[in-house]
Amino acid sequence: MSVTGKTSEQVTASSDLALVGELGKQLRVDGIRASTRAGSGHPTSSMSASDLIAVLAARHLRYDWSNPKSPDNDHLIFSKGHASPLNYALFKAAGVITDAQLMAYRTFGSPLQGHPTPVLPWIDVATGSLGQGLPIAVGVALAGKYLDRLPYHVWTLCGDSELAEGSVWEALDKASEYRLNNLCAICDINRLGQRGPTEHEWDMDVYRARFESFGCRAIVIDGHDLEQVDRALAEARAERERPVAILARTKKGSGVSEVEDLEGWHGRALPAEMAERAIIELGGIRDLRVATNPPEPGTPAITRGGGKVELPTYELGAKVATRKAYGDTLRALGARPEVVVLDAEVSNSTHAEEFKKDHSERFFEMWIAEQQLVAAAVGMSVRGYVPFASTFAAFFTRAFDFVRMASISEANIRLSGSHAGVEIGADGPSQMALEDLAMMRAVRGSTVLYPSDGNSAAQLVGLMADTDGIVYMRTTRGAYPVIYPPGESFAAGGSKVVVSHDDDTVALIGAGVTLHLALAAAAELEKAGVRARVIDLYSVKPVDTATLREANRVTGGRLVVVEDHHPEGGLGSAVLEALAQEARPPRVVQLAVRGLPGSGTPEELLAAAGIDTAAIVAAARRLAGKD
Amino acid sequence: MSVTGKTSEQVTASSDLALVGELGKQLRVDGIRASTRAGSGHPTSSMSASDLIAVLAARHLRYDWSNPKSPDNDHLIFSKGHASPLNYALFKAAGVITDAQLMAYRTFGSPLQGHPTPVLPWIDVATGSLGQGLPIAVGVALAGKYLDRLPYHVWTLCGDSELAEGSVWEALDKASEYRLNNLCAICDINRLGQRGPTEHEWDMDVYRARFESFGCRAIVIDGHDLEQVDRALAEARAERERPVAILARTKKGSGVSEVEDLEGWHGRALPAEMAERAIIELGGIRDLRVATNPPEPGTPAITRGGGKVELPTYELGAKVATRKAYGDTLRALGARPEVVVLDAEVSNSTHAEEFKKDHSERFFEMWIAEQQLVAAAVGMSVRGYVPFASTFAAFFTRAFDFVRMASISEANIRLSGSHAGVEIGADGPSQMALEDLAMMRAVRGSTVLYPSDGNSAAQLVGLMADTDGIVYMRTTRGAYPVIYPPGESFAAGGSKVVVSHDDDTVALIGAGVTLHLALAAAAELEKAGVRARVIDLYSVKPVDTATLREANRVTGGRLVVVEDHHPEGGLGSAVLEALAQEARPPRVVQLAVRGLPGSGTPEELLAAAGIDTAAIVAAARRLAGKD
């Protein structure tokens, strides 16, 4: 096989562009080799961006490949995650993976998965759900400019198809508002999407106008003209005011005549013989090494650790909304310098604004853009901050895909949703989260908390800060009596048996507002001669199986679960799943919201949904054989 | 109380603008009265848009209030649903609700809920989750221009805060691509959001540039200058090429000096005394009637009903992917003129492209914009079409809030998600839906289907067309043997006992790919002397409780549920919930995907997740006491 260029030279910032071009060809070749070997993947989507990445890696990126967690490093996020062959080919060129590792692409057990995930240390976040890399990059860039205050740059490789995702425009709006000159979106406008031409093909004027109107400096270039690429990347690094979008006109499958700019080659590996011809056309297999510029050494402005937190406490019997306790506790947590808070323009309702009072420099307004809210939290998690993001619980459904991907990224983010369930009252069903517990429970490795009073909420918010993974807390709109004394402790996976006797005939299991209703029901049942155990299942996931098991045993399997949520996937499901394999599984009555609620008072709506005290009493009596 | 203007005149298109201005004041007054009576609501957000709506209703809207379902009517969607006081005040002015009904705003049982819902016949869809009205309006406008081919106009009242939602930009991108000159976004730029000034306040140039760059004709006006409003609305109606955005600079709380353009009045009813002063300032209570222009009479180009559908069939044993059966069946359903198909640029993977081959005029490309995909389906459902929208199952998480709201809208939409679970193999976790069943089951009134072979998929897709509400089908990437003969029938709420004996000691319950694994497991178990019943739970919601109950009885409560999904909220939960209240609830072993998968072959990944045939056999043996 003939090779036109040098095969094992080192490519540095001072190498001439011809050699950088050779690197670009190597990236193409290696992407083809890896995907052809795997029998799947997106080589042509990688080839369109290979020149962009070659110039970036050789001349502009500042990165210590031997120390990927260095705070000084630039960040490079492949928002078009399907260009993973290119991403991995770059890692080979950087010398951090071997050619043999590259050839294991997409095989079982290989960290070189079909789309990038952070099982590889040089990857910040999982991508592959389009339109997420750029919003997350905004979070990293916010951390760089406002928290770390380090000169690292955040580079994001975007595809053109993904510019149809609204999340991209949410991201750019925030990027320009926060003047993220440390952010560059490198857009690979290769004209071809998965199933044919993209909507705007090579209409660079449309793209330019849109990016400019969203506050970016837009630089339109030919993405295969190395000098133009080099100049644009230099301008991006030098920019002082705005985020930069490099709009690169490229050709899908660039460099290989059998596929270049042709339809029908998205997400397809080249057949072996064709791959061989392609590699020959590209000048053969090379082993160039790219010696990326080292980062500027620096020290993050924020030192993690330290800061004495005194959690708020509330007097027994005082009426406190858990959302208020959330806000108060955030404010207290602000003593820890790594805690940051993000809001979606509802901080007066979620009470996240409490944090802002003392720590406005670590409070980030994401406006009404819930996808960006979660994405920014993920980006800050990349830099080791402890982000709390809050909005109405119902509106986290807007960001479910971002939460799903955050789990794959193994990000550490804390989410709090207020105004859950019919309890909110007059605002009506659009504002009522009735599926948030199902959604958040279904996320791999998530922690789902749902406190019922001020003291438990405060303790659990404090605990969230030190809990890894996706941690969700549901808070309640209304103020209810504090039932736990200050200092009581709570844990993920815990629960509280609030009322119990040795001879309980039924157990009432609730959380949040329904715990209060269950307590009232137990008092009524007691009068009627029915002994009821009341369990506060504040940790919905993980769930306290031991306590549930004991309740099952004592009551002879009579459990009433009451939740301000649809019957699928919430508290009731958690109880059923926990006890599914018992030798004697319980009978579980699920009181939940089954119809379509309207407006009304909380009391009216709880009654109409059949989850109020009277409904609990009736269900318990039936189960206890008293009716 | 002094009233400055006429109090009971009729306002028509030929009334002078001064009288229309009086109507605008009446709308303000009635919004204040209703919300003050309710003790909550958003009067000031209504007042900023009152002049816009007054001029629209009196001079430009074409609507038969007595026949809200007329296909000829214009549509008016309050994307800023919190302006419900204005929406309802308009209904009073139109004479379709009484003042007493208006005064019942937000009370229990009143159809005048906190945010608009279609329990009122003049409301197309529920709003209140911001950034949804405009995307849905795009769907209605698509129906008007390309299906009905009627001259009705679709007017949407948008707030300024909601322009931060990416879904708005997804909508405008499609609106301009499809040249929806029948769509007008009336943007109420009142400068104040929920918790203070908006990001762009009154920077009308920013808004203009963004709307123009997204292909709209943008008209910037003073939203309280009635002549400007009138001219802009006339231009919007006359536009022939593009969607129109009227960017109206307005004042929140306009007309009442105590609140006008002041912070702190979002989502707050005026206290009674203040309301009294406000009403006086606005000239008192009026009872003007608006006589809206009638619509142009016409006939939809598409006659619903008719068309002979022959569902595809597949030979027993042939290997067919259910996603292919979905596409084939869509194509067959195309014989019904009301069936429309929407795609998110993956129609070659979901096989929705099959429909396009015969019916391209009813195939709508929404590009990679899943929120808009679902919203457009909802909009077409408003006009009585039967929309099918499909993408990868994982990416419906992007649109969960739209599905949630569609349920509140009581919309009839069919969604199909392909490429579910670890079964997809090499593409990796970003593309694997592992929480879609939990998400879709948690939607009120939803139907969730998950067929395992070509013939059941075809029958169930056929059934989807005639099923109301939110109907979701999960399809599988790989091709598996056809196990049901052509002609076999399937129903929502049904299941199939594929293998059974009178003395089964365990039941294996699966759906989709896991049904095939369960069948193989049953054959192995049979050899080992364990009789296993195999149930195809293709209707995940509603679920066939009778068949599960019988399996529970026969097996003495030994059930193994196996699903290519996370363990929370999916098939296992459905089984547990169905049998929760049995006198003898079953022991249920849930085999599900608990870890974080990577890439690999389907077989490797199913085995690694512990949901393959070997895992089912092992679980069944343990449950049957054979290990």
Side-chain angles (χ1 to χ4, degrees), chain A residues 165 173 194 199 370 573, chain B residues 165 173 194 199 349 370 577:
Chain A
E165 288 284 11
D173 183 50
Q194 164 161 341
E199 184 187 346
E370 294 80 8
S573 293
Chain B
E165 288 284 11
D173 183 50
Q194 163 161 340
E199 183 186 348
S349 293
E370 294 81 7
E577 291 163 17

Side-chain angles (χ1 to χ4, degrees), chain A residues 106 114-115 128 130 165-166 170 173 194-195 199 210 345 349 365 370 398 427 431 442 566 573 577 599, chain B residues 106 114-115 128 130 165-166 170 173 194-195 199 210 349 365 370 398 427 431 442 566 573 577 599:
Chain A
R106 286 179 166 244
H115 293 75
L130 290 173
E165 288 284 11
E170 294 183 10
D173 183 50
Q194 164 161 341
R195 51 125 222 61
E199 184 187 346
R210 291 186 182 186
E345 212 201 322
S349 293
E365 181 59 75
E370 294 80 8
R398 199 66 158 258
D427 272 334
Q431 320 291 302
H566 287 152
S573 293
E577 291 162 18
S599 291
Chain B
R106 286 179 167 246
H115 293 76
L130 290 173
E165 288 284 11
E170 293 182 11
D173 183 50
Q194 163 161 340
R195 51 125 221 61
E199 183 186 348
R210 292 187 181 185
S349 293
E365 182 59 76
E370 294 81 7
R398 199 66 159 258
D427 272 335
Q431 320 291 302
H566 286 152
S573 293
E577 291 163 17
S599 292

Side-chain angles (χ1 to χ4, degrees), chain A residues 40 42 106-109 112-115 117 127-132 161-162 164-167 169-170 173-174 176-177 193-200 206 209-210 213-215 343 345-349 356 365 367-371 392 394-395 397-402 404-405 407-408 410 426-432 434-435 438-439 441-444 541 566-569 573 576-577 580-583 585-590 594-601 604-605 608, chain B residues 40 42 106-109 112-115 117 127-132 161-162 164-167 169-170 173-174 176-177 193-200 206 209-210 213-215 343 345-349 356 365 367-371 392 394-395 397-402 404-405 407-408 410 426-432 434-435 438-439 441-444 541 566-569 573 576-577 580-583 585-590 594-601 604-605 608:
Chain A
S40 68
H42 301 75
R106 286 179 166 244
T107 59
F108 184 71
L112 279 68
Q113 300 180 9
H115 293 75
T117 79
T127 53
S129 179
L130 290 173
Q132 296 210 14
S161 279
E162 71 175 322
E165 288 284 11
S167 55
W169 306 97
E170 294 183 10
D173 183 50
K174 306 315 160 295
S176 60
E177 186 199 359
Q194 164 161 341
R195 51 125 222 61
T198 58
E199 184 187 346
H200 301 292
V206 164
R210 291 186 182 186
S213 77
F214 273 75
D343 166 43
E345 212 201 322
V346 288
S347 57
N348 55 335
S349 293
K356 192 178 181 182
E365 181 59 75
W367 308 96
I368 302 184
E370 294 80 8
Q371 297 184 108
F392 282 25
F395 302 143
T397 55
R398 199 66 158 258
F400 189 17
D401 196 26
F402 285 76
R404 180 181 76 86
M405 289 295 295
S407 165
I408 299 173
E410 307 208 54
D427 272 334
S430 63
Q431 320 291 302
M432 294 172 178
L434 289 165
E435 46 291 282
M439 170 176 80
R441 280 207 326 124
V443 173
R444 184 195 59 83
K541 181 183 174 190
H566 287 152
E568 299 87 5
S573 293
L576 284 164
E577 291 162 18
Q581 297 194 45
E582 294 299 291
R587 295 180 68 184
V588 177
V589 176
Q590 287 184 266
R594 290 169 196 273
L596 177 57
S599 291
T601 65
E604 288 166 338
L605 295 170
Chain B
S40 68
H42 300 76
R106 286 179 167 246
T107 60
F108 184 72
L112 280 66
Q113 300 180 8
H115 293 76
T117 80
T127 53
S129 179
L130 290 173
Q132 297 210 13
S161 279
E162 71 174 323
E165 288 284 11
S167 54
W169 306 97
E170 293 182 11
D173 183 50
K174 306 314 158 297
S176 60
E177 186 199 358
Q194 163 161 340
R195 51 125 221 61
T198 58
E199 183 186 348
H200 301 292
V206 164
R210 292 187 181 185
S213 76
F214 274 74
D343 166 43
E345 212 201 322
V346 287
S347 57
N348 55 335
S349 293
K356 192 178 182 184
E365 182 59 76
W367 307 98
I368 302 185
E370 294 81 7
Q371 297 183 108
F392 283 24
F395 303 142
T397 56
R398 199 66 159 258
F400 189 18
D401 197 26
F402 284 77
R404 181 182 75 87
M405 290 296 295
S407 165
I408 299 173
E410 308 209 53
D427 272 335
S430 63
Q431 320 291 302
M432 293 172 179
L434 289 165
E435 46 292 282
M439 171 176 79
R441 280 208 324 124
V443 173
R444 184 194 59 83
K541 181 183 174 189
H566 286 152
E568 299 87 5
S573 293
L576 285 164
E577 291 163 17
Q581 297 193 47
E582 294 299 291
R587 294 180 70 182
V588 177
V589 176
Q590 287 184 266
R594 291 169 195 274
L596 177 57
S599 292
T601 65
E604 288 166 337
L605 294 171

Side-chain angles (χ1 to χ4, degrees), chain B residues 243-326:
Chain B
V244 173
I246 297 176
L247 304 171
R249 180 181 157 134
T250 61
K251 290 183 178 168
K252 200 156 175 169
S254 141
V256 173
S257 50
E258 287 185 79
V259 295
E260 185 175 281
D261 195 31
L262 293 178
E263 289 187 41
W265 285 101
H266 184 94
R268 284 180 66 188
L270 275 52
E273 282 187 18
M274 197 169 156
E276 228 170 278
R277 291 193 298 273
I279 293 166
I280 291 168
E281 187 176 350
L282 287 164
I285 298 170
R286 299 165 181 79
D287 192 21
L288 300 171
R289 284 295 162 89
V290 61
T292 302
N293 285 317
E296 280 184 41
T299 305
I302 288 178
T303 307
R304 288 158 185 75
K308 183 154 171 46
V309 175
E310 196 157 333
L311 296 179
T313 57
Y314 305 93
E315 282 181 30
L316 273 172
K319 286 198 169 183
V320 178
T322 50
R323 61 184 169 124
K324 179 64 164 61
Y326 170 74

